[in-house]
Amino acid sequence: MEDDVQLAQLLAQGLREEEYVVDIARDGAAALELSRERSFDVIVLDVMLPGISGLDVARQLRCRKQEVGVLMLTARDSVPDVVNGLDAGADDYLTKPFSFQELLARVRSLARRTLPRAKNVLECGDLTLETNSFRTFRKGTEIRLSFTEFRLLELLVRNRGRVVPRGAIVEEIWGDRREVEVNTIDAFVRLVRRKIEDAGPERVIQTHRGLGYSVGVETCA
């Protein structure tokens, strides 16, 4: 779903050559209509769609509780712009101009959400994660997380009692994309913290400066 018709056609052609089934929406309203009619594994969404913006499309997808990976395309790469996109419900973002191979890698990463999960439910104190439905609860109240936010929290909970280095987070969440910036990881952690800690007073995720993040490991004073 891209506002540049030629770019949208090129991306669609490249993805079809990789054996993906692709639909194109010309504007935000068409994107929402398509997403109602059909089920998608991944949606590639331009921020600057005509009519309804890509940010608003992402928000509406999440309000519908649609479990779909959203890759946001944007010409803006400042931290506030990135956080706005992630907060709207995007799981990942890609700044223009970009290579098709990088876009393909990110689509593959988001598409892995369809793989079977080893365990259906994870519990950590008053936090519960349903790994098959990607749902998160704290004290029985559901917390809406994007797919990438959920995967980050799941990774930390599965490794509770251990510090997970930033490099391991990048490898698990974004594959072998070593160009992922530190502030991208930090932005996701801030979003997850804000959402889960609004539902309870206790700090869940700890920061270990220069190392990484953890659940269930006290930080040094």
Side-chain angles (χ1 to χ4, degrees):
M1 299 167 184
E2 227 294 334
D3 68 328
D4 185 308
V5 175
Q6 185 176 9
L7 178 57
Q9 293 288 356
L10 288 172
L11 293 180
Q13 178 182 343
L15 288 168
R16 286 170 182 144
E17 289 174 356
E18 295 292 329
E19 300 186 349
Y20 288 94
V21 176
V22 181
D23 290 299
I24 298 176
R26 304 298 187 194
D27 55 39
L32 288 170
E33 186 62 28
L34 260 180
S35 66
R36 286 190 191 94
E37 296 172 351
R38 304 178 191 180
S39 176
F40 296 95
D41 294 321
V42 179
I43 292 177
V44 181
L45 191 60
D46 195 280
V47 170
M48 300 300 292
L49 283 174
I52 303 172
S53 73
L55 295 176
D56 286 333
V57 170
R59 291 188 187 100
Q60 291 195 44
L61 290 173
R62 297 315 181 199
C63 285
R64 294 182 196 163
K65 300 185 179 181
Q66 287 187 238
E67 300 296 342
V68 58
V70 175
L71 173 59
M72 193 79 77
L73 304 183
T74 177
R76 301 172 179 176
D77 61 356
S78 69
V79 172
D81 289 318
V82 171
V83 170
N84 285 341
L86 300 178
D87 213 11
D91 298 294
D92 197 1
Y93 71 94
L94 191 55
T95 304
K96 301 175 186 178
F98 53 83
S99 73
F100 177 73
Q101 289 304 315
E102 183 178 4
L103 178 135
L104 193 59
R106 298 191 185 207
V107 168
R108 283 197 300 265
S109 178
L110 289 175
R112 292 191 192 110
R113 67 190 301 271
T114 59
L115 294 177
R117 295 294 176 133
K119 187 178 179 182
N120 292 339
V121 177
L122 291 175
E123 293 183 347
C124 182
D126 58 13
L127 194 66
T128 302
L129 281 69
E130 295 182 356
T131 60
N132 283 348
S133 61
F134 307 101
R135 299 175 71 190
T136 304
F137 300 85
R138 190 168 189 192
K139 297 182 177 179
T141 300
E142 185 169 5
I143 301 163
R144 298 299 301 171
L145 298 180
S146 71
F147 174 59
T148 302
E149 290 167 357
F150 182 93
R151 289 188 65 200
L152 172 60
L153 181 58
E154 179 190 4
L155 175 63
L156 296 177
V157 169
R158 285 192 185 279
N159 289 276
R160 61 185 174 274
R162 292 182 287 179
V163 177
V164 183
R166 281 187 170 88
I169 294 173
V170 171
E171 184 174 355
E172 177 67 23
I173 306 300
W174 289 278
D176 59 357
R177 286 167 32 213
R178 302 298 180 184
E179 77 280 3
V180 173
E181 299 289 341
V182 169
N183 64 1
T184 300
I185 301 172
D186 295 341
F188 271 107
V189 171
R190 285 197 300 271
L191 288 171
V192 173
R193 267 194 181 132
R194 187 182 70 199
K195 292 179 180 181
I196 64 176
E197 291 172 9
D198 278 351
E202 298 85 6
R203 171 60 60 94
V204 176
I205 301 174
Q206 287 78 37
T207 300
H208 302 268
R209 296 192 181 281
L211 297 174
Y213 295 96
S214 74
V215 167
V217 179
E218 293 298 325
T219 57
C220 297

